[in-house]
């Protein structure tokens, strides 16, 4: 809300004419009065209508699509519409609402603006790899500017589900495995979308999702059950949602999954006790796509019963399924819900519209001229290129193969090398797929004549055509070559032989991660691996540019390929950004926000695990009767926080200002970091702690701070972290947020594995 205190606020609620003019600079009492006045005129059907969110079906994000949208708008049966884009269409729908419905209540327009609107930034997991909160905030700000210029005022983002199981396809949409990093990102994104004025015409209302614990689906299978202790929820999985709420997120989306026996969409404890009563959330809760109806399959009753359950649990808006619309009146008549339940929900939805300034001007977000000026603005594309370059993680670089020289011939080979439609990555529903440059096109545009790039697709994405079809939906096709594999590879090798260096663009298509895209085998598909083996046999230096929406098992690749750059899916400017990094204009600085396992059988695998009663002795990978596997060590392939640079950073000795922290005091933890290599670069200095003795068991390491610094060769900087009692707090067995006196270890380093440590005490 605007903060300028101004003159007395004038409200003109022109009851009777049905026009609601309200000054945006309101105190809450004005909002209350306005909504009281409006609700006083509403029939119960109109109130229920406000709880109905329909999809225009323009972009597909679920299997059922709403019908009769126009009639429903005119009869007051719709509160919000999503998946409708562009000013003319949104204006037309809004006109139906404000000119043809009885009370002329404006509609809220939502969309999955997840990592950009038309200018697409890296997938969220990639953005998380930047560890750059200002950059992440800016990407959300740009997304909001573009989407709000095009008629939208609500985004279904940020997605803050912690996931520690890379089989789950939606790990690509979140910030990875870590509670602290995800929480900071959740705040940055909410601030980016909402700015400090929700009613401004260039901000969007955020919707934090999926509340809650969606990323902990059993076996990484999408929509699957979650059963989790309260202790783990409070310490590890809930904080990012809370951080988004504390940052002011205006709405929350329920998760699809079952949580300890009660699906999130009907979970009163979650929606009311935790979200409202403990956290003080005052926005509205929307279900996920048809999640109310899915409560029937969860086994909670028929549509009328589950709709009542969901409303009473604390849900306000029903996405697509129309259970609320079609059954709540009956439930009210039968005494199964109270009028107060419906009023509560209706009021919260109206409040959101009020905060967005829609009653003041329902067309606030509809301005073709602004849309034309804003969308894909060159400054946005420049930011997308910067963000992509910063999201890439250099996983391996033997013998300083990278950066490459801007000369000679490069063979760009692989099924991901020339597919523009796959570059935006999953959940980029508004991307212009046709006009997104492929890696080949982007590299050529960035490098011009300096480097000769020759190309071959090299292999299919997947050997199995049916699997490939499932993995390339929504216009993200990759052409298939049905000739024998040996023939295709032989042709590719001819191309490789012309070059000084081979860049192999391999990995997943964009739709191999994301919703309903779980995988049991998380390696590079075998057909692509066979191509890679042949490319390596040519004796040419091979750089693997990896496309992926999740941690992959790269054990073989790590052993055999000299250089590996993980590009995730970098968005609109992927191609240019890859060229920037491969040829040294940008020094890679991304750090993994999720552990890369050696083997899928290790999952869930995360750095912040408990010690167990039978940990391995230092330096051992197998000991009988210890917690380990017979065949593979417990180590990850690449640990959380890992990522190389073209330069080298040397850490001086870790220093503590004291070895005893007083409860009200603070301790400085510092280290001098020097750039001892030959390139300017950025380093993410990471601080972890371990609570050695507690009333409940504590993880072996927990991230509690990080700094991203920039150093030119020869430059040093002392990085100082202030540690206070607050950083040592956790939820104990009674779910009290406490710091317990005793001994701790603080670790500082370049990733979660390679750290220095010092001990200290927290004193009462
Ligand atoms: C997804 C949500 C998304 C919604 C609307 C669902 O299938 O789970 O993340 O916001 O569709 O598109």
């Amino acid at each position: 809300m605007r903060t300028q205190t101004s003159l007395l606020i004038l409200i003109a609620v022109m009851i009777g004419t049905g026009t609601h003019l309200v000054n945006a600079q309101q105190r809450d009492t004005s909002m209350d009065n306005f909504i009281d006045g409006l609700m006083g005129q509403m029939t119960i059907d109109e109130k229920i209508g406000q709880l109905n969110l329909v999809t225009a079906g323009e972009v597909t994000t679920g299997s059922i699509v709403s019908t009769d949208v126009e009639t429903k708008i005119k009869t007051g049966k719709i509160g919000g519409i999503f998946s409708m884009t562009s000013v003319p269409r949104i204006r037309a729908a809004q006109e139906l609402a404000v000119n043809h419905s009885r009370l002329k209540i404006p509609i809220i327009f939502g969309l999955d603006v997840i990592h950009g609107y038309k200018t697409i930034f890296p997938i969220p997991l990639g953005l998380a790899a930047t560890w750059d909160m200002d950059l992440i905030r800016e990407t959300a700000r740009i997304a909001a500017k573009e989407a709000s210029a095009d008629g939208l005022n609500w985004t279904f983002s940020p997605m803050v589900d912690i996931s520690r199981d890379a089989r789950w396809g939606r790990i690509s949409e979140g910030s990875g495995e870590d509670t602290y990093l995800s929480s900071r990102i959740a705040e940055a994104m909410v601030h980016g979308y909402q700015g400090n004025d929700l009613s401004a015409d260039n901000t969007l209302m955020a919707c934090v999702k999926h509340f809650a614990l969606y990323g902990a689906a059993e076996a990484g299978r999408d929509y699957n059950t979650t059963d989790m202790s309260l202790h783990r929820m409070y310490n590890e999985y809930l904080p990012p949602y809370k951080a988004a709420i504390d940052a002011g997120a205006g709405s929350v989306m329920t998760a699809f999954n079952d949580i300890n026996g009660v699906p999130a969409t009907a979970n009163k404890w979650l929606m009311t006790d935790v979200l409202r009563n403990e956290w003080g959330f005052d926005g509205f809760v929307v279900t996920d796509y048809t999640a109310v109806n899915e409560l029937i399959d969860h086994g909670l009753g028929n549509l009328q019963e589950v709709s009542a359950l969901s409303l009473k649990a604390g849900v306000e808006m029903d996405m697509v399924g129309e259970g609320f619309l079609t059954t709540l009146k009956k439930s009210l008549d039968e005494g199964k819900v109270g009028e107060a339940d419906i009023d509560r929900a209706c009021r919260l939805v109206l409040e959101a519209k009020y905060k967005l300034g829609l009653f003041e001007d329902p067309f606030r977000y509809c301005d073709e001229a602004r849309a034309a000026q804003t969308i894909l603005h060159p400054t946005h594309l420049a930011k997308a290129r910067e963000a992509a370059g910063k999201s890439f993680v250099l996983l391996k670089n033997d013998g300083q193969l990278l950066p490459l020289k801007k000369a000679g011939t490069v063979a760009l080979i692989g099924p991901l090398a020339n597919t523009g439609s796959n570059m935006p990555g999953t959940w980029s529903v508004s991307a212009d797929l046709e006009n997104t440059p492929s890696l080949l096109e982007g590299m050529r545009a960035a490098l011009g004549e300096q480097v000769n790039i020759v190309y071959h697709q090299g292999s299919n994405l997947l050997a199995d055509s049916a699997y490939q079809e499932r993995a390339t939906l929504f216009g993200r096709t990759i052409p298939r070559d049905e000739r024998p594999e040996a023939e295709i590879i032989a042709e590719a090798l001819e191309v490789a032989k012309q070059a000084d260096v081979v860049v192999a663009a391999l990995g997943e298509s964009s739709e191999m991660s994301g919703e309903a895209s779980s995988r049991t085998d998380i390696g590079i598909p075998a057909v692509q691996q066979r191509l890679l083996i042949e490319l390596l046999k040519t004796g040419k230096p091979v750089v693997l540019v990896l496309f992926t929406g999740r941690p992959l098992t790269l054990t073989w690749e790590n052993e055999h390929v000299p250089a590996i750059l993980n590009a995730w899916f970098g968005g609109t400017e992927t191609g240019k950004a890859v060229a920037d990094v491969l040829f040294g204009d940008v020094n890679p600085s991304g750090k993994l926000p999720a552990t890369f396992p050696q083997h899928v059988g290790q999952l869930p695998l995360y750095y912040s695990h408990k010690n167990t009663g039978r940990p391995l002795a230092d330096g051992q990978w197998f000991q009988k009767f210890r917690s380990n596997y017979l065949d593979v060590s417990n180590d990850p392939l690449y640990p959380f926080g890992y990522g190389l640079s073209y330069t080298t950073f040397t850490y001086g000795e870790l220093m503590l200002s004291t070895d005893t922290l007083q409860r009200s005091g603070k301790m400085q933890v510092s280290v001098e970091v020097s750039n001892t290599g030959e390139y300017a670069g950025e380093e993410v200095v990471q601080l972890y702690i371990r609570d050695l003795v507690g009333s409940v068991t504590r993880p072996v390491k927990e991230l509690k701070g990080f700094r991203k610094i920039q150093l030119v060769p020869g430059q040093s900087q002392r990085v100082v972290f202030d540690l206070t009692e607050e950083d040592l707090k956790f939820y104990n067995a009674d779910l009290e947020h406490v710091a317990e006196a005793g001994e701790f270890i603080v670790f500082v380093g370049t990733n979660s594995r390679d750290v220095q440590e010092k001990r200290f005490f927290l004193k009462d």
Side-chain angles (χ1 to χ4, degrees):
M1 295 293 283
R2 283 183 193 160
T3 45
Q4 308 114 287
T5 39
S6 78
L7 327 166
L8 264 196
I9 294 142
L10 290 179
I11 315 175
V13 181
M14 291 147 103
I15 302 170
T17 65
T19 311
H20 312 287
L21 296 177
V22 183
N23 188 305
Q25 298 169 32
Q26 295 291 330
R27 289 175 306 148
D28 284 349
T29 51
S30 306
M31 176 170 77
D32 292 345
N33 292 340
F34 172 76
I35 290 173
D36 286 345
L38 181 56
M39 284 182 62
Q41 302 169 67
M42 293 173 81
T43 63
I44 200 72
D45 286 324
E46 283 165 336
K47 288 178 183 170
I48 294 171
Q50 286 303 306
L51 317 186
N52 193 28
L53 175 64
V54 301
T55 172
E58 218 175 85
V59 284
T60 322
T61 62
S63 53
I64 298 170
V65 172
S66 311
T67 52
D68 278 339
V69 173
E70 186 171 336
T71 321
K72 282 177 187 150
I73 298 176
K74 289 186 186 160
T75 49
K77 292 195 167 78
I78 284 179
I81 300 183
F82 74 102
S83 290
M84 175 182 274
T85 58
S86 87
V87 172
R89 273 172 280 196
I90 290 181
R91 181 182 288 116
Q94 192 70 297
E95 267 168 4
L96 288 177
V98 298
N99 295 333
H100 297 279
S101 73
R102 192 180 77 90
L103 287 174
K104 308 182 182 344
I105 298 173
I107 288 171
I108 184 171
F109 291 93
L111 188 79
D112 291 278
V113 181
I114 307 294
H115 48 111
Y117 178 60
K118 295 282 182 194
T119 301
I120 305 294
F121 298 101
I123 57 167
L125 194 61
L127 277 177
T130 68
W131 296 56
D132 185 333
M133 299 307 112
D134 291 335
L135 178 72
I136 291 174
R137 189 181 313 106
E138 270 177 85
T139 65
R141 189 83 280 284
I142 290 171
K145 281 186 188 163
E146 292 195 356
S148 63
D150 218 15
L152 297 158
N153 38 50
W154 185 27
T155 176
F156 302 144
S157 174
M159 190 277 219
V160 303
D161 305 318
I162 298 282
S163 181
R164 292 163 173 188
D165 192 331
R167 290 171 296 180
W168 192 54
R170 300 196 82 171
I171 194 170
S172 55
E173 288 177 58
S175 302
E177 74 183 45
D178 186 61
T179 313
Y180 181 85
L181 179 61
S182 297
S183 301
R184 301 294 76 79
I185 293 173
E187 290 158 3
M189 293 193 75
V190 171
H191 290 145
Y193 290 132
Q194 298 196 162
N196 48 21
D197 180 1
L198 213 47
S199 71
D201 64 7
N202 63 5
T203 55
L204 298 175
M205 177 176 280
C207 183
V208 56
K209 69 187 189 186
H210 304 83
F211 194 58
L213 321 178
Y214 183 36
E218 279 176 6
R221 180 157 59 79
D222 209 357
Y223 317 123
N224 205 5
T225 306
T226 298
D227 203 306
M228 189 186 283
S229 70
L230 288 176
H231 176 246
R232 171 167 267 185
M233 278 189 208
Y234 272 82
N235 281 306
E236 300 168 31
Y237 281 76
L238 292 180
Y241 305 102
K242 181 165 189 302
I245 303 298
D246 290 345
S251 62
V252 167
M253 187 185 293
T254 67
F256 285 123
N257 51 304
D258 176 338
I259 293 164
N260 294 357
V262 184
T265 306
N267 198 314
K268 188 160 197 286
W269 171 77
L270 207 52
M271 300 301 157
T272 301
D273 299 356
V274 176
L275 185 63
R276 301 263 173 216
N277 299 343
E278 267 178 49
W279 296 357
F281 175 62
D282 66 356
F284 73 94
V285 175
V286 61
T287 70
D288 202 346
Y289 209 110
T290 59
V292 170
N293 313 58
E294 291 167 24
L295 296 172
I296 303 171
D297 280 328
H298 274 291
L300 294 193
N302 63 31
L303 187 60
Q304 184 187 349
E305 288 161 343
V306 297
S307 300
L309 258 181
S310 180
L311 177 77
K312 289 193 345 193
V315 169
E316 277 82 38
M317 202 178 229
D318 174 8
M319 190 192 288
V320 180
E322 303 205 332
F324 282 11
L325 188 76
T326 54
T327 70
L328 284 186
K329 177 96 176 295
K330 186 160 183 267
S331 291
L332 179 66
D333 294 342
E334 293 170 2
K336 292 180 177 143
V337 301
E339 194 162 351
D341 296 317
I342 295 172
D343 279 357
R344 175 209 85 228
C346 177
R347 177 176 293 276
L348 288 170
V349 171
L350 294 175
E351 281 182 4
K353 294 181 178 185
Y354 184 96
K355 291 175 189 165
L356 285 165
L358 288 170
F359 287 108
E360 189 189 57
D361 177 6
F363 301 102
R364 164 160 298 180
Y365 302 89
C366 292
D367 178 351
E368 277 96 341
R370 192 158 66 87
Q373 283 158 15
T374 312
I375 289 171
L376 293 168
H377 191 276
T379 57
H380 299 179
L381 292 170
K383 193 49 77 180
R385 184 168 175 174
E386 179 194 338
K390 289 189 170 180
S391 73
F392 302 159
V393 184
L394 183 62
L395 297 174
K396 190 177 172 195
N397 193 20
D398 268 8
Q400 298 277 27
L401 174 54
L402 294 175
L404 303 173
K405 286 196 191 65
K406 281 191 193 160
T409 300
V410 168
L412 181 59
I413 296 180
L416 275 309
N418 197 20
T419 167
S421 62
N422 277 272
M423 296 299 98
T426 192
W427 276 112
S428 48
V429 293
S430 42
D432 181 354
L433 299 181
E434 314 261 288
N435 291 311
T436 304
S438 67
L439 178 60
L440 174 65
E441 290 160 346
M443 283 179 67
R444 282 191 172 145
L447 295 162
E449 302 290 296
Q450 301 174 88
V451 180
N452 177 34
I453 305 180
V454 291
Y455 158 77
H456 196 277
Q457 180 168 312
S459 79
N460 284 313
L461 174 74
L462 292 148
D464 174 352
S465 61
Y467 184 5
Q468 177 157 338
E469 202 176 314
R470 293 195 292 276
T472 50
L473 301 176
F474 312 126
R476 323 264 170 156
T477 8
I478 295 179
R480 278 191 76 78
D481 188 335
E482 298 301 354
R483 289 177 299 161
E485 193 178 311
E487 208 178 301
I488 305 171
I489 291 185
E491 234 177 55
L493 294 180
E494 285 311 306
V495 173
K497 281 177 196 155
Q498 302 164 29
D500 304 300
V501 56
V502 174
V503 173
L506 309 179
E508 298 189 319
S509 61
S510 69
E511 297 314 305
M512 282 171 79
S513 64
E515 188 169 353
S517 293
S518 295
R519 295 178 67 199
T520 59
D521 174 350
I522 56 167
I524 292 180
V527 63
Q528 298 185 44
Q529 255 178 356
R530 292 194 288 271
L531 166 68
L532 184 58
I533 291 170
E534 296 306 318
L535 292 173
L536 287 164
K537 282 190 197 158
T538 62
K540 305 271 179 190
V542 175
V543 179
L544 169 57
V545 173
L546 179 72
F547 289 90
T548 181
R550 52 156 60 81
L552 294 182
T553 45
L554 300 170
T555 310
W556 188 91
E557 290 78 1
N558 184 57
E559 225 168 274
H560 297 94
V561 185
I564 307 177
L565 180 72
N566 175 18
W568 312 105
F569 291 94
T572 314
E573 296 292 67
T574 301
K576 287 182 184 162
V578 169
D580 293 341
V581 171
L582 289 183
F583 292 89
D585 290 331
V586 170
N587 186 351
S589 60
K591 301 272 190 171
L592 296 177
T595 303
F596 274 44
Q598 299 179 67
H599 193 284
V600 69
Q602 295 175 295
L603 297 177
L605 185 68
Y606 49 99
Y607 82 92
S608 181
H609 59 84
K610 300 287 182 74
N611 201 36
T612 81
R614 293 188 173 194
L616 285 164
D618 273 352
Q620 300 293 316
W621 81 263
F622 178 79
Q623 290 175 290
K624 193 67 188 166
F625 304 121
R626 296 268 132 190
S627 180
N628 48 216
Y629 302 98
L630 283 173
D631 52 347
V632 171
S633 80
N634 292 345
D635 297 331
L637 181 64
Y638 305 119
F640 173 81
Y642 172 87
L644 304 173
S645 166
Y646 294 155
T647 196
T648 44
F649 295 104
T650 309
Y651 282 64
E653 194 196 335
L654 177 63
M655 318 264 265
L656 307 189
S657 58
T658 168
D659 63 3
T660 308
L661 176 63
Q662 305 295 335
R663 285 216 181 258
S664 52
K666 105 179 154 194
M667 183 171 99
Q668 290 194 329
V669 180
S670 69
V671 68
E672 187 164 277
V673 183
S674 309
N675 183 339
T676 47
E678 283 163 19
Y679 297 85
E682 290 187 287
E683 166 72 335
V684 181
V685 183
Q686 303 162 36
L687 180 145
Y688 299 85
I689 60 147
R690 177 170 179 184
D691 188 347
L692 283 167
V693 180
S695 58
V696 291
T697 59
R698 306 292 305 126
V700 296
K701 263 180 203 145
E702 287 176 281
L703 184 72
K704 289 293 173 183
F706 57 87
R707 289 287 145 68
K708 190 160 189 176
I709 58 168
Q710 219 170 357
L711 296 175
V712 295
Q715 193 186 359
S716 299
Q717 187 180 326
R718 177 156 290 277
V719 177
V720 184
F721 296 94
D722 286 335
L723 214 59
T724 69
E725 181 192 359
E726 229 15 67
D727 300 306
L728 309 180
K729 283 190 174 166
F730 63 95
Y731 291 91
N732 67 14
D734 298 324
L735 299 182
E736 296 154 343
H737 200 218
V738 295
E740 293 176 346
E743 193 174 14
F744 291 79
I745 306 180
V746 58
F747 312 84
V748 174
T750 183
N751 61 55
S752 62
R753 180 190 59 201
D754 303 315
V755 288
Q756 301 179 56
E757 58 177 81
K758 283 255 157 86
R759 290 181 176 225
F760 68 94
F761 289 88
L762 174 68
K763 266 266 167 69
D764 275 326

